[in-house]
Structures are given as C-alpha cells and as structure tokens.
RNA sequence: GCCGGCGUAGCUCAGUCGGUAGAGCAACGCAUUCGUAAUGCGUGGGUCGGGGGUUCGAAUCCCUCCGCCGGCACCA
C-alpha cells in the first residue's frame, strides 16, 4: 500500500501506512503541528487525527487561516454543550453550529438559563479547555446511533437521526474525552486545549426545535469565539462602536423622531427627521419622473370585498388592520397594488400604451407580530416608494433590467455600494399555477442574467402572488434588511380584472410588476442614519449650516448671513445664544451639523465667514458670496 | 406570537435589607461678550410604565396588562 501526499508547493511524499494530518505537520515542523487546526484534503476540511487513506493533495490549515475560525467556533459550541451537560444533568443537546462571529448551541431544558448560569458555564468551558481532552472521530451505524441516544434520553438527537438523516448512511460521532460525545459532521480540533481562550458567552434566547414555531422551544446560548484574544477584543470594540451608530439612539440624540407606547411600531417624525424624509422623498420623486412613472394616490382604506378579490383576505389577513362603519368592514391597506389596479381599470388601455407605470408614496399598515418590531427597520405603519408597471409579457425583461440599473444608481447616490441581490422563489401559500410560477421565476432570472449581476436564491420566500428580486443592505450591527424589490405578478391583474386591447382588438390581461427601490421610507432612513452614523452628507442633513456669532455685536451680520444662505436654498440656522464659541462648536458638532459658519467682529467688518466642517479642525475664511455659492453647489442632490 | 431581560426627571443613569426618591446633562433665572468640542452661580422638575394584591408602610415583594431590548418564529 502506497499513499502519495501532494503538498501545496507541489512537493510529493509517499507513505506506506495512512498518515494523519497531525503526523504530516509534525514531520514538517513541530511549530506547524502546534498551530495546526485541521487539514484540507483535496479541498475538504478533515480532522488532523483522521488517517488519510488515499493519495491526495493536502494543506495544513493553521489557526490564523480564515477556514480555521469556523472549526474553532464549532469546537467552542461542543465545549459549551459539554460544559452545560456537566453542570446541568438532564439537559438535552440538539444542534450547535458556528456563526458569523462565534457559535451557539440549542439545549432542551425546562428551566431557562440565567446570566449567572452563563458565567458558571463559561468558567466550566475554560476548565474543559484546560483539561485538553482528546477529540476523536468514530463512525457509527444509523441504528446504533438512534439506540444510543434514545438510551441516554437524548430524544431530540434520536429524532433528528431517525427523521433527518438517511438510514443507510453511517454517522460520524465525536467523542470529547471519555464521557462526552455528540453526533457531528466535523471536522474538529484534535483536543479541547486547542480551542484557546478567546471566547465569551454573550446571550441566551429561545429558539424553536428545527426552526418550527409549532415545535418545542429550546434554550439557545450564544457566544463569540476568535483565534486570538486580540481578535476577540477588537470584535467587542467594534460592537461597542456599532451601538453608537444605532438609529434608535441617534434618532433621539439628533431629534429626528420618536415612538411611544400608544402607537407601537409607528413613528412620530420630528421637524428635523421630516426634513430628512423630504430630502429623500424629493430625490425619489425625481427618479420616478426620470424613469417614466406617473405619481398617483389611492385611499388608505377600502371595503374588504376588494381585498377578497385581490387575494389578500385569504393570504394576508393575519397581517391586516380592519375598521368598521355603518355595518361595512374596511381594511387598512397593507399594500398599494390593488389601489393602482383600480386606477388602471378606470380607463381602457391599448397595447400601444403599455407599459404604464404608476408610482405612489404609499402609506401602508401591517399588523406585524409584536416581537418583530424594531425601531424604524420593522414598523407597522410605513410608506413605500411603491410602483406598479402594467406591461405585456415580452416587456418584462427590459422593465426589470431598467429597474435594476436605476435601483443600483439610487443606492450609489445615497452612498451604498454593497448591495446583496436575492431572488425569492415560490412560497407554500400562494396564488397561481406552477406553470405561471415557472414563467415568473424564469423571467426574473433572465433579467438578472442580462443585467450581469450575481444573486442568491431563497426558495419559499416569495410573495404570495409572485417571486421577487430583493435588494438587501446591512445595518450597523450586521443585520441584513430588504430595501428594494422587483416582483412579477401574473395573478392579481386577472383577479382584479385589469385588461388591455391587443393589436387584434382582443382583450388581454397585462402582467403587473411590483417594484420599490428604497422599499420603506422608514427603514431606508434608518439604514441611512446608521450608515452615516448620523453625520449625513450635506444634501440630506436636516440642518445644513449653523451660523454662529462669537460676540453679540456680530448678531446682525449673522442673521444676514443666515438669510443669504436660506435664499440660496440652504437649510441654515443662526445660533444667537449668549454662549461661548467653544460651546456652540461642541454642541453643533454633536448634533452632526455638516457646516458651521463662524462670524466674529472680523468677519462682520470684512463681510466674510469662517467655515468649519464637521469633524475638521481646519477652518477657511472666505467672502460671504463665495461661501454661499460653494455650500449651495455642494448641497445639490445627486 | 414564543423564550429571556428591562421600564425611576426631557436625556443618561444611581437608589442597600420594604421605611416615603437622587446625580450629571438639559430646561429656567441672573451674571458673563468670550475666536473654534462644555463660563459661573442659582431655581424648578417625578402618580418610580398601567392596574390589582401582600404589608402599619412598596420604586423595592407577588399577580396581571402594556411597551421596549436581545434572540427565535414571522417579514408583501
């Protein structure tokens, strides 16, 4: 028997007996063996202790390699599980994967874990690391594994093996020390000591068994884990910084909006916040016009009969608000599409008129589950930059690609470049035949293909009336939110009786495209605030310039400067309070005002202003007219 | 909706063992006119999220409702 191992540099070595990754590393250098985490065998990550029984190319993965992190994190989850079972006998193990910054493990236990428990558990984890228990991989048969876990009272594990895994496939079991083991795909570190100390348990929460709300609720423990202490520290620092960018905190600090108990999930916009809103709205309105949309406005409530016809009653009523008057029941609109179809239906349309594009800053109410609400990101009352395109099937692709280009331009104008594109496919609860869904999904794929973008697909996540392209952006703490969307809908136009007359004088049903770029104004503004940490670019800033006199002798001139700035279309304010300039600079800096125009006696005499930009200590003194001109030019919307 | 945590002045927060609520900032008043991130002194401000209970007495203990926060589920 001869096994040929190829190294990354192309060198080869022949072995008589199957070597392990650890042995190979050891033969290269003891320090490499010490740093080794796993071994990559023909591109696949293997345990260092697993014999390599065939010729292969290998690469030793050390703890500083990016692939090492997921192994370290996954190991941390297992060490957590062992610690919990040692401390709390009777607790069942379920699943515990690595996450983006650490790991979690779900346990079945009647008593929830407390913060004090977390400290004890983390302490025990450190002990398990110190014990440096060997981690060994074993292969068990399906039947053997089910029996074993049932005998131990691990009913969740046993259920998973019975229902989630194929009976004829052998299973890998990882034994950690003599006592503890878990079913796992691996790979793992050779021993618990290699996990290191750069981990920290962070939070507990509930989680449903197999992600299903109708099944048992488990106790999830989350942790962070990194290769080094420094990396962990850096991550904690990052989280602290992210908290300062939180739009809920900044919304209060910058006096943009508030929410209160009487209107959960609904926003009270303050003057400054509404100014920001208007800046965004006016920008989007220009986009509407430039891309051939006609702006419309539909009622906020309509008789339920309309929502029964549209399919919302059957598919969406859990999320709708209702109201009643004179024995009629009305629904508060959760979407704008049926309203736009009514406007479309008010006239007769020729195929020559298509595509017809309607747009609306559509105010929608959705009765979202209370636990889903989250600042401006997830609300119950929101306004969409909604639009519906009525077109013929052969026009779908060009409409979708044009929309895509427009959307990417809008995101770039607001400073966003990292937009994730996803394609959400047919959900279980839906309208229309499979054949129609095939067509709709393929139409969107074709458009994305021709736009030349990369996308990921999300099976089961489409709207009940059609598949959708989703545009996602991340908030300050890395949560991803859907902003824009483009959806193909072959169902609703027919249900609501939309028609056009084709070239043969025959009535046809148009296709409807649902689209939004910023998505919800609320969510978009939340993302904007976090993206800029409150320091909005000049064109969006609620207050663009504050004119601050140094002495009251300059008050009159300061008012004149303010008027000149306002006359040039700038949002300018004078700060005539009897405060020192230091105080004013500090306060307006904290309020993230992008430009400060300081005027003292000197400026008043020479009719100049001294400009100071947010966060920049260097100042520049220039003639009043020149300053106005410069700021006005800079404040122009893209 | 589910699990857990939290709710005290406009904001950020303290409040011990159940003994009748406090700080800083902000606000207001007075003084100060000052050149780039906090001028000084003084004053007012609270149904301790709502309701109920235990107790001689509740911010504090118990029940319940509401909201918020973290996660899960949901998310056109």
């Amino acid at each position: 028997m001869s096994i040929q191992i190829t190294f990354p540099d192309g060198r080869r070595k022949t072995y008589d007996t199957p070597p392990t990754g650890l042995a190979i590393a050891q033969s290269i250098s003891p320090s490499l063996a010490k740093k080794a985490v796993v071994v990559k065998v023909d591109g696949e990550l293997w345990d260092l202790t697993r014999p390599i029984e065939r010729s292969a190319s290998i690469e030793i993965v050390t703890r500083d390699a990016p692939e090492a992190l997921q192994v370290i994190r996954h190991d941390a989850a297992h060490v957590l599980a062992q610690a919990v079972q040692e401390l709390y006998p009777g607790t069942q193990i379920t699943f515990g994967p690595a996450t983006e910054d650490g790991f979690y493990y779900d346990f079945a236990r009647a008593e929830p874990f407390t913060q004090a428990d977390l400290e004890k558990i983390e302490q025990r984890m450190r002990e398990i690391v110190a014990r440096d228990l060997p981690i060994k991989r074993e292969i068990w048969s399906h039947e053997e594994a089910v029996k074993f876990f049932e005998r131990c009272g691990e009913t969740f594990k046993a259920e998973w093996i019975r229902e989630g895994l194929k009976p004829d496939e052998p299973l890998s079991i990882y034994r950690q020390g003599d006592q503890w083991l878990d079913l796992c795909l691996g790979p793992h570190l050779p021993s618990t000591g290699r996990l290191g100390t750069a981990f920290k348990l962070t939070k507990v929460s509930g989680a449903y068994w197999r992600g299903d709300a109708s099944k048992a609720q488990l106790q999830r423990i989350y942790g962070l884990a990194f290769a080094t202490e420094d990396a962990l520290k850096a991550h904690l620092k990052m989280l602290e910084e992210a908290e300062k960018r939180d739009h809920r905190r900044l919304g209060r600090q910058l006096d943009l909006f508030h929410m209160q108990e009487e209107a959960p999930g609904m926003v009270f916009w303050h003057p400054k916040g509404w100014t920001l809103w208007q800046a965004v709205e006016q920008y989007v309105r220009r986009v509407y016009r430039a891309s051939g949309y006609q702006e419309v406005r539909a009622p906020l409530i309509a008789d339920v009969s309309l929502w029964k016809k549209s399919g919302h009653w059957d598919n969406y009523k859990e999320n709708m608000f209702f109201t009643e008057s004179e024995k009629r029941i009305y629904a508060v609109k959760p979407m704008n599409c049926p309203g736009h179809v009514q406007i479309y239906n008010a006239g007769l349309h020729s195929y020559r008129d298509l595509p017809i594009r309607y747009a609306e800053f559509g105010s929608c109410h959705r009765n979202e589950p209370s636990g889903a609400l989250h600042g401006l990101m997830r609300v119950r009352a929101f306004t969409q930059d909604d639009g519906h395109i009525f077109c013929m099937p052969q026009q779908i692709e060009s409409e979708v690609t044009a929309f895509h280009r427009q959307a990417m331009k809008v995101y770039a104008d607001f400073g966003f470049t990292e937009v994730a594109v996803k394609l959400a496919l047919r959900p279980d609860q839906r309208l229309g035949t499979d054949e129609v869904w095939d067509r709709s999904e393929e139409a969107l794929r074709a458009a994305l293909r021709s736009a030349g973008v990369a996308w990921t697909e999300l099976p089961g996540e489409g709207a009940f009336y059609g598949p959708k392209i989703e545009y996602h952006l991340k908030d300050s703490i890395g949560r991803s939110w859907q902003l824009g969307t483009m959806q193909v809908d072959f169902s609703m136009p027919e249900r609501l009786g939309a028609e056009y007359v084709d070239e043969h004088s025959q009535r046809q049903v148009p296709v409807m495209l649902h689209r939004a770029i910023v998505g919800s104004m609320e969510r978009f503004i939340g993302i904007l605030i976090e993206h800029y940490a409150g320091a909005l670019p000049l064109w969006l800033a609620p207050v663009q310039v504050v004119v601050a006199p140094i002495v009251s002798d300059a008050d009159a001139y300061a008012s004149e400067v303010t008027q000149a700035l306002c006359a040039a279309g700038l949002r300018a304010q004078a700060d005539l309070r009897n405060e020192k300039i230091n105080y004013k600079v500090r306060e307006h800096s904290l309020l993230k005002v992008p430009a400060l125009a300081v005027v003292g006696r000197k400026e008043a005499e020479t009719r100049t202003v001294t400009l100071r930009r947010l966060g920049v200590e260097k100042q520049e003194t220039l003639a009043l007219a020149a300053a106005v001109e410069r700021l006005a030019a800079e404040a122009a919307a893209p």
Side-chain angles (χ1 to χ4, degrees):
Chain A
M1 183 178 180
S2 149
I3 291 161
Q4 197 172 59
I5 296 296
T6 310
F7 294 92
D9 62 2
R11 279 187 311 125
R12 283 178 190 177
K13 199 169 165 187
T14 307
Y15 293 82
D16 297 335
T17 53
T20 64
L22 197 57
I24 295 170
Q26 195 66 252
S27 72
I28 297 169
S29 85
S31 71
L32 178 65
K34 216 170 149 189
K35 278 196 304 179
V37 169
V38 282
V39 56
K40 206 186 262 182
V41 177
D42 289 334
E44 204 179 306
L45 296 180
W46 281 29
D47 304 285
L48 283 172
T49 52
R50 180 167 167 190
I52 301 167
E53 284 159 336
R54 57 165 203 252
S55 293
S57 343
I58 66 123
E59 188 187 336
I60 303 292
V61 177
T62 54
R63 54 185 302 122
D64 45 13
E67 299 105 313
L69 263 182
Q70 53 174 300
V71 178
I72 289 170
R73 288 169 177 163
H74 193 182
D75 260 63
H78 275 218
V79 170
L80 164 63
Q82 181 173 0
V84 165
Q85 289 204 309
E86 285 183 9
L87 289 167
Y88 307 95
T91 302
Q92 290 190 54
I93 50 173
T94 65
F95 285 104
T99 61
E100 251 179 69
D101 52 12
F103 58 94
Y104 66 78
Y105 206 106
D106 287 343
F107 300 96
R109 179 175 187 247
E111 278 281 287
F113 295 104
T114 64
Q115 198 57 45
D117 291 335
L118 281 200
E119 280 162 36
K120 256 167 57 190
I121 295 165
E122 189 177 312
Q123 192 48 46
R124 180 60 66 101
M125 285 174 72
R126 296 193 189 283
E127 281 168 41
I128 292 170
V129 169
R131 283 183 226 154
D132 197 18
L133 303 172
I135 300 172
K136 293 192 196 110
R137 181 172 183 269
E138 296 173 10
I139 299 297
W140 290 14
S141 75
H142 192 272
E143 197 190 334
E144 199 179 352
V146 171
K147 270 194 193 143
F148 174 83
F149 285 111
E150 271 173 356
R151 203 169 56 237
C152 303
E154 295 282 0
T155 58
F156 289 89
K157 275 282 170 193
E159 178 193 318
W160 172 246
I161 297 168
R162 260 188 280 110
E163 296 176 13
L165 300 176
K166 293 199 188 89
D168 44 350
E169 274 178 21
L171 313 167
S172 55
I173 296 284
Y174 280 83
R175 210 179 266 282
Q176 202 158 278
D178 302 328
Q179 303 298 318
W180 195 82
L181 58 77
D182 193 359
L183 165 82
C184 185
L185 281 173
H188 280 283
L189 300 167
S191 70
T192 57
R194 296 218 181 192
L195 174 55
T197 54
F199 59 85
K200 180 181 166 65
L201 297 185
T202 51
K203 52 198 175 191
V204 281
S205 87
Y208 298 108
W209 169 235
R210 295 168 77 171
D212 184 339
S214 68
K215 292 192 158 76
Q217 183 140 32
L218 308 171
Q219 308 294 333
R220 176 172 296 183
I221 296 179
Y222 280 94
L224 298 171
F226 288 85
T228 64
E229 293 277 357
D230 283 350
L232 173 62
K233 263 188 215 143
H235 186 79
L236 290 171
K237 181 86 195 151
M238 189 278 289
L239 289 178
E240 213 176 286
E241 289 302 313
E243 223 172 278
K244 294 184 191 155
R245 307 170 74 100
D246 190 311
H247 75 280
R248 293 165 297 186
R249 176 203 278 244
L250 287 168
R252 198 181 308 111
Q253 283 172 356
L254 307 183
D255 195 18
L256 301 174
F257 64 89
H258 86 269
M259 307 218 223
Q260 63 189 49
E261 280 199 32
E262 292 84 348
M266 308 183 209
V267 186
F268 292 79
W269 289 99
H270 296 195
K272 284 184 188 169
W274 192 247
T275 302
L276 167 56
W277 175 299
Q278 281 304 318
V280 175
E281 185 175 308
Q282 296 307 336
Y283 168 91
V284 172
R285 184 163 276 128
R286 291 208 337 263
V287 170
Y288 278 154
R289 289 198 192 128
S291 41
Y293 287 80
Q294 299 168 277
E295 204 173 319
V296 297
R297 182 81 177 172
L300 291 193
I301 66 173
D303 192 284
V304 274
S305 60
L306 176 64
W307 303 100
K308 284 180 178 165
K309 266 189 249 164
S310 70
H312 286 82
W313 176 263
D314 287 331
N315 293 281
Y316 207 69
K317 73 168 170 303
E318 299 309 311
N319 286 295
M320 291 166 69
F321 287 106
F322 296 94
T323 183
E324 175 268 324
S325 171
E326 294 183 348
K327 296 181 193 155
R328 287 181 75 178
I329 298 172
Y330 297 86
V332 183
K333 69 174 175 177
M335 297 183 200
N336 305 300
C337 27
H340 289 186
V341 176
Q342 306 315 305
I343 294 168
Y344 176 89
N345 287 355
L348 187 61
H349 301 285
S350 153
Y351 71 98
R352 299 170 193 272
D353 303 330
L354 303 183
I356 286 174
R357 307 182 189 90
Y358 293 144
E360 178 177 357
F361 288 98
S363 172
C364 295
H365 288 75
R366 295 184 190 173
N367 197 3
E368 302 286 358
S370 58
L373 303 180
H374 181 88
L376 294 179
M377 304 300 195
R378 189 79 183 270
V379 288
R380 288 196 175 131
F382 57 100
T383 303
Q384 293 177 311
D385 64 323
D386 207 359
H388 294 93
I389 301 168
F390 297 87
C391 66
M392 295 181 278
Q394 63 270 30
Q395 294 171 318
I396 295 174
E397 190 175 321
S398 63
E399 286 298 315
V400 176
T401 42
F403 168 81
H404 174 79
R405 270 191 212 104
Q406 184 63 260
M408 297 312 279
K409 161 91 168 47
V410 170
Y411 298 136
D413 281 349
F414 281 103
F416 300 114
T417 46
E418 285 183 34
V419 183
V421 180
K422 305 184 184 187
L423 181 58
L425 307 172
R426 67 194 76 184
D428 293 338
Q429 194 180 355
R430 58 177 184 260
L431 298 176
T433 63
D434 285 351
E435 187 265 320
V436 162
W437 277 89
D438 289 341
R439 262 203 296 160
S440 309
E441 289 171 355
E442 207 31 60
L444 289 182
R445 282 198 195 95
L448 285 175
R449 235 176 267 129
S450 80
V453 276
W455 73 91
T456 51
E457 302 204 342
L458 308 170
E461 296 200 11
F464 70 82
Y465 49 75
K468 51 176 187 164
I469 298 172
E470 301 180 354
Y471 296 84
H472 287 249
L473 281 175
K474 284 189 176 173
D475 69 10
S476 63
I477 40 178
R479 286 187 279 212
S480 177
W481 298 95
Q482 182 196 313
L483 299 180
T485 183
M486 164 54 89
Q487 311 168 4
V488 186
D489 182 354
F490 285 98
S491 297
M492 207 174 296
E494 185 169 19
R495 294 177 73 98
L496 295 176
E499 291 175 338
Y500 66 93
V501 179
D502 73 7
E503 60 266 55
H504 310 295
S505 278
Q506 297 298 304
R507 294 197 177 220
Q508 302 289 349
V509 177
V511 180
M512 181 158 73
L513 306 178
H514 307 241
R515 46 111 285 161
I517 296 179
V518 308
S520 125
M521 293 288 287
E522 285 79 357
R523 179 179 289 182
F524 188 70
I525 290 171
I527 292 272
L528 262 183
I529 293 167
E530 299 201 351
H531 180 69
Y532 287 107
L536 294 158
L538 200 65
W539 73 283
L540 292 169
V543 177
Q544 295 171 316
V545 197
V546 165
V547 183
I550 292 169
V551 290
S552 50
D553 286 352
D555 282 1
Y557 179 61
S559 301
E560 188 190 333
V561 170
T562 309
Q563 267 172 30
L565 289 165
C566 290
L570 286 153
R571 298 185 285 271
Q573 285 176 2
D575 182 356
L576 305 183
R577 292 174 304 169
N578 175 13
E579 294 290 353
K580 290 166 92 168
I581 194 65
N582 287 296
Y583 182 90
K584 294 182 185 178
V585 166
R586 177 181 155 81
E587 188 165 283
H588 298 299
S589 298
L590 290 174
L591 290 172
K592 319 268 187 198
V593 175
L596 199 58
V598 176
V599 295
R601 283 202 187 89
K602 210 165 61 193
E603 285 82 0
E605 278 161 21
T606 56
R607 301 192 58 75
T608 55
V609 299
T610 297
L611 284 184
R612 182 197 163 109
R613 300 312 180 96
L614 178 59
V616 182
E617 272 182 54
K618 216 180 85 189
Q619 308 135 43
E620 190 183 1
T621 303
L622 60 173
L624 173 55
V628 171
E629 196 183 333
R630 183 184 296 183
L631 288 170
E634 214 180 297

